[in-house]
Amino acid sequence: MSKDNNLITVQDLHVYYGQLEALKGVTMNFKKNEITAVIGPSGCGKSTLLKTINRLNDLVANVTVTGTIKVDDQNVYAPNMDAVELRKQVGMLFQQPNPFPFSIYDNVTYGLRISGEKNKTVLDEAVEKSLQAAAIWDEVKDRLHDNALGLSGGQQQRICIARVLATKPKVILMDEPTSALDPISSDKIERTMLKLKEDYSIVIVTRNMQQASRISDRTAFFLAGELIEFGETRDIFMQPQKKETEDYISGRFG
Amino acid sequence: MNNDEIRASLLKRSRASKNELFGKIISGLCIAIIVAVVVSIFYFVASKGLATFFHDKVNLWKFLTGTIWNPSTTDAQGHPQVGALPMIIGSFAVTFLAAIVATPFAIGAAVFMTEISPRIGRKVLQPVIELLVGIPSVVYGFIGLSVVVPFVRHTFGGSGFGILSGTFVLFVMILPTVTSMTVDALNSVPRNYREASLALGATRWQTIYKVVLRASVSGIITAVVFGMSRAFGEALAVQMVIGNAMLLPSNLISPASTLTSVLTMGMGNSVMGSLSNNALWSLALLLLIMPLIFNIIIRWIGKRGAMH
């Protein structure tokens, strides 16, 4: 861990999809045990940033990345970096709840099983702990072997959180995790996130500015692939330094 | 005056409504003809096939379990010798063996086409598979006769005719069908399952066999059962390589027969209404019922799959 508590450092990051430059020289860092919100209009590069951190962008053809990203002082794009190992340390939650069409138990233990964990006691314990941390244990403890697709959208998303937590990542990237959910489910997930902050670092991409202001410690505002402003959430929302930021959070565009 | 004109035009059938009625009658007629054809085929096959049991008083159990097929002769008790067991076993043996051999290849090819190299899959393999589906069965049979039978003879001994050769030929015949249906099954697995798996630190291979294949298991089973249904009903190609001996098969390389091969061999040589003719119709009835059962299995799997 570096001295200033930075878990992820991003240095002059450019990402190109073919000719299109999706991120134009981004430099920022994400601190440990904080929630960092990334806001900005559609197509500004928020999701690209997340997918670049866990190298899920590798799956896209024609993608070029320059600059450096370090997670816990390991260079993510170093030639000897194992993307599979990286993704075990950097969990991700998607916009659409995407539990596998298996039982709740199989969903939560998936990450451990692919790492070779077979001990039933370890798996059982991980299921209970992760589901409790994701605040859904009480709702599903009696039907762990039911298909996860039978749950409501909000429950499914919390199963996905539990599935990520079971692998004990250092960081959790969340890509608009509540945009497909109703307000009550969103609220539950937000509360869960605030609790998770004690043990994990969270980066959340969101289009909901109230959400960003409610839960995040720091906020980054992106526009057209550039990091416009980044600082304490309170400062960003109360006294933004840049005109674009002010325009965006006051709803004048985007 | 003007009002009357409007009333008159509303009460008269318009050109458009006449057209609609005409269309309804045409499509209704077509459906009626199709239904009538299907029902009369069923009725015809059933009435002929059941005549063996009701008219000629053959015991159904003896028909299904008897091992001697010689309808023109009778056994010691005076019962006609129509034991279909050798053909039933032959049919099921080639069907199941072909499916067992074809399934791994089909899954492998489908995984390559959907997960590993979709571009080559779409541009090269898809047309190849469609071509394979379109080859007439007599061509497969001819190739089987000139290549597979000698190969089996040299490698495993015997005459080369038998269940093993039939299995090889059917395997090649059903492979494209099973593959393309498996491809559909794999493609219907939502993309976000794959993303979720990779994001959890799974390798591509783990994602394929622990998520994609598992999520599409009912689709794959449907593909295999569909292939089996095709294999079960295939006549010509099998008849050319199986040897057509109406004996209970004792091994995979001795000549045997299937329901279809006995039917194609025998149908020219019997007189309508005679026992040997009726016995052939009973085989046809069996061949009609089995795909029905396969279809029911497919639907049942589909329903179970839809519930998940």
Side-chain angles (χ1 to χ4, degrees), chain B residues 105-137:
Chain B
F105 286 94
I107 292 176
V111 164
F112 182 85
M113 288 169 67
T114 58
E115 309 295 320
I116 295 171
S117 184
R119 234 166 53 89
I120 297 179
R122 245 195 328 275
K123 285 201 173 146
V124 182
L125 293 175
Q126 195 74 36
V128 168
I129 284 175
E130 279 158 17
L131 187 76
L132 285 175
V133 174
I135 295 178
S137 62

mmCIF file of all heavy atoms in Angstrom, chain B residues 105-137:
data_model
loop_
_atom_site.group_PDB
_atom_site.id
_atom_site.type_symbol
_atom_site.label_atom_id
_atom_site.label_comp_id
_atom_site.label_asym_id
_atom_site.label_seq_id
_atom_site.Cartn_x
_atom_site.Cartn_y
_atom_site.Cartn_z
ATOM 1 N N PHE B 105 -18.558 -34.439 -30.301
ATOM 2 C CA PHE B 105 -18.077 -33.700 -31.472
ATOM 3 C C PHE B 105 -18.954 -32.469 -31.725
ATOM 4 O O PHE B 105 -18.454 -31.389 -32.025
ATOM 5 C CB PHE B 105 -18.077 -34.593 -32.713
ATOM 6 C CG PHE B 105 -16.967 -35.597 -32.715
ATOM 7 C CD1 PHE B 105 -17.170 -36.875 -32.236
ATOM 8 C CD2 PHE B 105 -15.707 -35.253 -33.187
ATOM 9 C CE1 PHE B 105 -16.136 -37.803 -32.218
ATOM 10 C CE2 PHE B 105 -14.669 -36.172 -33.179
ATOM 11 C CZ PHE B 105 -14.890 -37.455 -32.686
ATOM 12 N N ALA B 106 -20.256 -32.666 -31.606
ATOM 13 C CA ALA B 106 -21.180 -31.552 -31.849
ATOM 14 C C ALA B 106 -20.943 -30.445 -30.835
ATOM 15 O O ALA B 106 -20.891 -29.262 -31.188
ATOM 16 C CB ALA B 106 -22.626 -32.043 -31.779
ATOM 17 N N ILE B 107 -20.781 -30.817 -29.557
ATOM 18 C CA ILE B 107 -20.565 -29.794 -28.530
ATOM 19 C C ILE B 107 -19.233 -29.091 -28.786
ATOM 20 O O ILE B 107 -19.139 -27.861 -28.721
ATOM 21 C CB ILE B 107 -20.604 -30.417 -27.117
ATOM 22 C CG1 ILE B 107 -22.025 -30.889 -26.808
ATOM 23 C CG2 ILE B 107 -20.146 -29.410 -26.076
ATOM 24 C CD1 ILE B 107 -22.155 -31.601 -25.484
ATOM 25 N N GLY B 108 -18.212 -29.868 -29.123
ATOM 26 C CA GLY B 108 -16.913 -29.274 -29.405
ATOM 27 C C GLY B 108 -16.986 -28.279 -30.552
ATOM 28 O O GLY B 108 -16.515 -27.149 -30.450
ATOM 29 N N ALA B 109 -17.621 -28.707 -31.636
ATOM 30 C CA ALA B 109 -17.728 -27.821 -32.797
ATOM 31 C C ALA B 109 -18.545 -26.581 -32.457
ATOM 32 O O ALA B 109 -18.192 -25.465 -32.842
ATOM 33 C CB ALA B 109 -18.374 -28.563 -33.964
ATOM 34 N N ALA B 110 -19.639 -26.782 -31.704
ATOM 35 C CA ALA B 110 -20.502 -25.648 -31.363
ATOM 36 C C ALA B 110 -19.770 -24.662 -30.459
ATOM 37 O O ALA B 110 -19.891 -23.451 -30.624
ATOM 38 C CB ALA B 110 -21.782 -26.137 -30.694
ATOM 39 N N VAL B 111 -18.998 -25.187 -29.506
ATOM 40 C CA VAL B 111 -18.225 -24.297 -28.621
ATOM 41 C C VAL B 111 -17.234 -23.490 -29.452
ATOM 42 O O VAL B 111 -17.084 -22.284 -29.272
ATOM 43 C CB VAL B 111 -17.503 -25.112 -27.523
ATOM 44 C CG1 VAL B 111 -16.415 -24.274 -26.863
ATOM 45 C CG2 VAL B 111 -18.492 -25.583 -26.480
ATOM 46 N N PHE B 112 -16.572 -24.149 -30.385
ATOM 47 C CA PHE B 112 -15.630 -23.423 -31.238
ATOM 48 C C PHE B 112 -16.344 -22.322 -32.017
ATOM 49 O O PHE B 112 -15.873 -21.192 -32.096
ATOM 50 C CB PHE B 112 -14.949 -24.393 -32.205
ATOM 51 C CG PHE B 112 -13.922 -23.726 -33.088
ATOM 52 C CD1 PHE B 112 -12.621 -23.543 -32.629
ATOM 53 C CD2 PHE B 112 -14.265 -23.247 -34.338
ATOM 54 C CE1 PHE B 112 -11.680 -22.914 -33.418
ATOM 55 C CE2 PHE B 112 -13.324 -22.614 -35.138
ATOM 56 C CZ PHE B 112 -12.030 -22.445 -34.670
ATOM 57 N N MET B 113 -17.532 -22.670 -32.548
ATOM 58 C CA MET B 113 -18.232 -21.714 -33.407
ATOM 59 C C MET B 113 -18.830 -20.542 -32.651
ATOM 60 O O MET B 113 -19.008 -19.462 -33.213
ATOM 61 C CB MET B 113 -19.356 -22.420 -34.161
ATOM 62 C CG MET B 113 -18.845 -23.332 -35.249
ATOM 63 S SD MET B 113 -20.157 -24.356 -35.896
ATOM 64 C CE MET B 113 -21.185 -23.135 -36.689
ATOM 65 N N THR B 114 -19.178 -20.744 -31.378
ATOM 66 C CA THR B 114 -19.826 -19.650 -30.657
ATOM 67 C C THR B 114 -18.875 -18.941 -29.708
ATOM 68 O O THR B 114 -18.960 -17.735 -29.543
ATOM 69 C CB THR B 114 -21.025 -20.145 -29.836
ATOM 70 O OG1 THR B 114 -20.571 -21.144 -28.932
ATOM 71 C CG2 THR B 114 -22.096 -20.722 -30.727
ATOM 72 N N GLU B 115 -17.965 -19.695 -29.072
ATOM 73 C CA GLU B 115 -17.170 -19.086 -28.008
ATOM 74 C C GLU B 115 -15.750 -18.766 -28.455
ATOM 75 O O GLU B 115 -15.176 -17.775 -28.065
ATOM 76 C CB GLU B 115 -17.099 -20.013 -26.786
ATOM 77 C CG GLU B 115 -18.445 -20.524 -26.312
ATOM 78 C CD GLU B 115 -19.320 -19.415 -25.790
ATOM 79 O OE1 GLU B 115 -18.792 -18.528 -25.107
ATOM 80 O OE2 GLU B 115 -20.526 -19.438 -26.087
ATOM 81 N N ILE B 116 -15.153 -19.658 -29.235
ATOM 82 C CA ILE B 116 -13.724 -19.524 -29.490
ATOM 83 C C ILE B 116 -13.466 -18.689 -30.733
ATOM 84 O O ILE B 116 -12.675 -17.755 -30.718
ATOM 85 C CB ILE B 116 -13.063 -20.912 -29.592
ATOM 86 C CG1 ILE B 116 -13.186 -21.590 -28.219
ATOM 87 C CG2 ILE B 116 -11.603 -20.789 -30.005
ATOM 88 C CD1 ILE B 116 -12.788 -23.013 -28.175
ATOM 89 N N SER B 117 -14.139 -18.999 -31.808
ATOM 90 C CA SER B 117 -13.896 -18.211 -33.010
ATOM 91 C C SER B 117 -15.192 -17.990 -33.785
ATOM 92 O O SER B 117 -15.426 -18.627 -34.802
ATOM 93 C CB SER B 117 -12.860 -18.918 -33.890
ATOM 94 O OG SER B 117 -12.575 -18.093 -34.983
ATOM 95 N N PRO B 118 -16.046 -17.107 -33.277
ATOM 96 C CA PRO B 118 -17.348 -16.894 -33.924
ATOM 97 C C PRO B 118 -17.216 -16.458 -35.384
ATOM 98 O O PRO B 118 -18.073 -16.761 -36.199
ATOM 99 C CB PRO B 118 -17.974 -15.773 -33.096
ATOM 100 C CG PRO B 118 -17.238 -15.758 -31.816
ATOM 101 C CD PRO B 118 -15.867 -16.248 -32.116
ATOM 102 N N ARG B 119 -16.108 -15.771 -35.710
ATOM 103 C CA ARG B 119 -15.959 -15.267 -37.080
ATOM 104 C C ARG B 119 -15.765 -16.426 -38.069
ATOM 105 O O ARG B 119 -16.483 -16.537 -39.052
ATOM 106 C CB ARG B 119 -14.784 -14.303 -37.167
ATOM 107 C CG ARG B 119 -15.163 -12.951 -37.759
ATOM 108 C CD ARG B 119 -14.056 -11.959 -37.489
ATOM 109 N NE ARG B 119 -12.770 -12.483 -37.947
ATOM 110 C CZ ARG B 119 -12.288 -12.312 -39.186
ATOM 111 N NH1 ARG B 119 -12.979 -11.628 -40.064
ATOM 112 N NH2 ARG B 119 -11.120 -12.811 -39.533
ATOM 113 N N ILE B 120 -14.802 -17.315 -37.741
ATOM 114 C CA ILE B 120 -14.595 -18.494 -38.591
ATOM 115 C C ILE B 120 -15.855 -19.349 -38.562
ATOM 116 O O ILE B 120 -16.273 -19.900 -39.578
ATOM 117 C CB ILE B 120 -13.381 -19.307 -38.099
ATOM 118 C CG1 ILE B 120 -12.117 -18.465 -38.220
ATOM 119 C CG2 ILE B 120 -13.249 -20.612 -38.885
ATOM 120 C CD1 ILE B 120 -10.873 -19.170 -37.741
ATOM 121 N N GLY B 121 -16.478 -19.429 -37.388
ATOM 122 C CA GLY B 121 -17.696 -20.223 -37.250
ATOM 123 C C GLY B 121 -18.763 -19.767 -38.226
ATOM 124 O O GLY B 121 -19.354 -20.576 -38.936
ATOM 125 N N ARG B 122 -19.002 -18.453 -38.267
ATOM 126 C CA ARG B 122 -20.046 -17.935 -39.136
ATOM 127 C C ARG B 122 -19.678 -18.049 -40.604
ATOM 128 O O ARG B 122 -20.483 -18.401 -41.435
ATOM 129 C CB ARG B 122 -20.326 -16.472 -38.796
ATOM 130 C CG ARG B 122 -21.717 -16.227 -38.237
ATOM 131 C CD ARG B 122 -22.097 -14.758 -38.252
ATOM 132 N NE ARG B 122 -20.985 -13.854 -38.067
ATOM 133 C CZ ARG B 122 -20.499 -13.488 -36.887
ATOM 134 N NH1 ARG B 122 -21.041 -13.963 -35.799
ATOM 135 N NH2 ARG B 122 -19.501 -12.642 -36.788
ATOM 136 N N LYS B 123 -18.395 -17.741 -40.899
ATOM 137 C CA LYS B 123 -18.023 -17.645 -42.316
ATOM 138 C C LYS B 123 -17.701 -18.991 -42.947
ATOM 139 O O LYS B 123 -17.935 -19.185 -44.128
ATOM 140 C CB LYS B 123 -16.800 -16.722 -42.458
ATOM 141 C CG LYS B 123 -17.177 -15.266 -42.285
ATOM 142 C CD LYS B 123 -16.132 -14.359 -42.907
ATOM 143 C CE LYS B 123 -16.580 -12.917 -42.884
ATOM 144 N NZ LYS B 123 -15.463 -12.007 -42.705
ATOM 145 N N VAL B 124 -17.113 -19.905 -42.178
ATOM 146 C CA VAL B 124 -16.662 -21.169 -42.766
ATOM 147 C C VAL B 124 -17.527 -22.346 -42.317
ATOM 148 O O VAL B 124 -18.074 -23.081 -43.134
ATOM 149 C CB VAL B 124 -15.177 -21.439 -42.411
ATOM 150 C CG1 VAL B 124 -14.714 -22.721 -43.073
ATOM 151 C CG2 VAL B 124 -14.319 -20.260 -42.818
ATOM 152 N N LEU B 125 -17.656 -22.501 -40.984
ATOM 153 C CA LEU B 125 -18.285 -23.723 -40.486
ATOM 154 C C LEU B 125 -19.790 -23.763 -40.711
ATOM 155 O O LEU B 125 -20.358 -24.801 -41.038
ATOM 156 C CB LEU B 125 -17.975 -23.895 -38.989
ATOM 157 C CG LEU B 125 -16.498 -24.163 -38.715
ATOM 158 C CD1 LEU B 125 -16.214 -24.198 -37.231
ATOM 159 C CD2 LEU B 125 -16.098 -25.512 -39.332
ATOM 160 N N GLN B 126 -20.441 -22.613 -40.566
ATOM 161 C CA GLN B 126 -21.900 -22.573 -40.756
ATOM 162 C C GLN B 126 -22.296 -23.057 -42.160
ATOM 163 O O GLN B 126 -23.132 -23.953 -42.281
ATOM 164 C CB GLN B 126 -22.402 -21.137 -40.509
ATOM 165 C CG GLN B 126 -23.907 -21.021 -40.317
ATOM 166 C CD GLN B 126 -24.339 -21.538 -38.960
ATOM 167 O OE1 GLN B 126 -23.626 -21.364 -37.980
ATOM 168 N NE2 GLN B 126 -25.483 -22.200 -38.895
ATOM 169 N N PRO B 127 -21.661 -22.523 -43.226
ATOM 170 C CA PRO B 127 -22.003 -23.021 -44.573
ATOM 171 C C PRO B 127 -21.671 -24.506 -44.747
ATOM 172 O O PRO B 127 -22.429 -25.230 -45.387
ATOM 173 C CB PRO B 127 -21.134 -22.169 -45.496
ATOM 174 C CG PRO B 127 -20.738 -20.983 -44.711
ATOM 175 C CD PRO B 127 -20.740 -21.381 -43.292
ATOM 176 N N VAL B 128 -20.551 -24.945 -44.165
ATOM 177 C CA VAL B 128 -20.176 -26.361 -44.283
ATOM 178 C C VAL B 128 -21.262 -27.238 -43.661
ATOM 179 O O VAL B 128 -21.684 -28.244 -44.237
ATOM 180 C CB VAL B 128 -18.815 -26.617 -43.600
ATOM 181 C CG1 VAL B 128 -18.561 -28.111 -43.468
ATOM 182 C CG2 VAL B 128 -17.700 -25.966 -44.393
ATOM 183 N N ILE B 129 -21.739 -26.830 -42.493
ATOM 184 C CA ILE B 129 -22.758 -27.620 -41.805
ATOM 185 C C ILE B 129 -24.051 -27.648 -42.607
ATOM 186 O O ILE B 129 -24.695 -28.694 -42.758
ATOM 187 C CB ILE B 129 -22.980 -27.056 -40.390
ATOM 188 C CG1 ILE B 129 -21.820 -27.496 -39.517
ATOM 189 C CG2 ILE B 129 -24.291 -27.538 -39.799
ATOM 190 C CD1 ILE B 129 -21.849 -26.935 -38.148
ATOM 191 N N GLU B 130 -24.413 -26.488 -43.145
ATOM 192 C CA GLU B 130 -25.640 -26.450 -43.950
ATOM 193 C C GLU B 130 -25.514 -27.360 -45.171
ATOM 194 O O GLU B 130 -26.460 -28.036 -45.563
ATOM 195 C CB GLU B 130 -25.940 -25.010 -44.384
ATOM 196 C CG GLU B 130 -26.633 -24.222 -43.280
ATOM 197 C CD GLU B 130 -26.481 -22.730 -43.420
ATOM 198 O OE1 GLU B 130 -26.122 -22.253 -44.517
ATOM 199 O OE2 GLU B 130 -26.715 -22.027 -42.419
ATOM 200 N N LEU B 131 -24.295 -27.393 -45.744
ATOM 201 C CA LEU B 131 -24.053 -28.272 -46.890
ATOM 202 C C LEU B 131 -24.227 -29.735 -46.478
ATOM 203 O O LEU B 131 -24.879 -30.522 -47.178
ATOM 204 C CB LEU B 131 -22.631 -28.032 -47.411
ATOM 205 C CG LEU B 131 -22.260 -28.743 -48.704
ATOM 206 C CD1 LEU B 131 -22.909 -28.011 -49.858
ATOM 207 C CD2 LEU B 131 -20.758 -28.765 -48.892
ATOM 208 N N LEU B 132 -23.648 -30.084 -45.317
ATOM 209 C CA LEU B 132 -23.730 -31.468 -44.848
ATOM 210 C C LEU B 132 -25.175 -31.896 -44.624
ATOM 211 O O LEU B 132 -25.551 -33.033 -44.898
ATOM 212 C CB LEU B 132 -22.943 -31.638 -43.546
ATOM 213 C CG LEU B 132 -21.420 -31.658 -43.682
ATOM 214 C CD1 LEU B 132 -20.766 -31.704 -42.316
ATOM 215 C CD2 LEU B 132 -20.985 -32.862 -44.499
ATOM 216 N N VAL B 133 -26.002 -30.961 -44.094
ATOM 217 C CA VAL B 133 -27.415 -31.291 -43.864
ATOM 218 C C VAL B 133 -28.097 -31.604 -45.190
ATOM 219 O O VAL B 133 -28.952 -32.478 -45.281
ATOM 220 C CB VAL B 133 -28.138 -30.120 -43.154
ATOM 221 C CG1 VAL B 133 -29.629 -30.391 -43.054
ATOM 222 C CG2 VAL B 133 -27.563 -29.898 -41.774
ATOM 223 N N GLY B 134 -27.646 -30.905 -46.252
ATOM 224 C CA GLY B 134 -28.343 -31.038 -47.524
ATOM 225 C C GLY B 134 -27.950 -32.254 -48.356
ATOM 226 O O GLY B 134 -28.596 -32.538 -49.356
ATOM 227 N N ILE B 135 -26.889 -32.969 -47.962
ATOM 228 C CA ILE B 135 -26.471 -34.122 -48.772
ATOM 229 C C ILE B 135 -27.506 -35.240 -48.650
ATOM 230 O O ILE B 135 -27.886 -35.615 -47.545
ATOM 231 C CB ILE B 135 -25.083 -34.622 -48.317
ATOM 232 C CG1 ILE B 135 -24.036 -33.540 -48.584
ATOM 233 C CG2 ILE B 135 -24.707 -35.912 -49.043
ATOM 234 C CD1 ILE B 135 -22.651 -33.926 -48.129
ATOM 235 N N PRO B 136 -27.977 -35.799 -49.756
ATOM 236 C CA PRO B 136 -28.991 -36.854 -49.694
ATOM 237 C C PRO B 136 -28.442 -38.092 -48.998
ATOM 238 O O PRO B 136 -27.248 -38.394 -49.112
ATOM 239 C CB PRO B 136 -29.282 -37.157 -51.172
ATOM 240 C CG PRO B 136 -28.742 -36.013 -51.930
ATOM 241 C CD PRO B 136 -27.630 -35.444 -51.133
ATOM 242 N N SER B 137 -29.328 -38.821 -48.324
ATOM 243 C CA SER B 137 -28.853 -39.930 -47.502
ATOM 244 C C SER B 137 -28.257 -41.042 -48.352
ATOM 245 O O SER B 137 -27.387 -41.774 -47.903
ATOM 246 C CB SER B 137 -29.978 -40.451 -46.621
ATOM 247 O OG SER B 137 -31.016 -40.947 -47.423
#
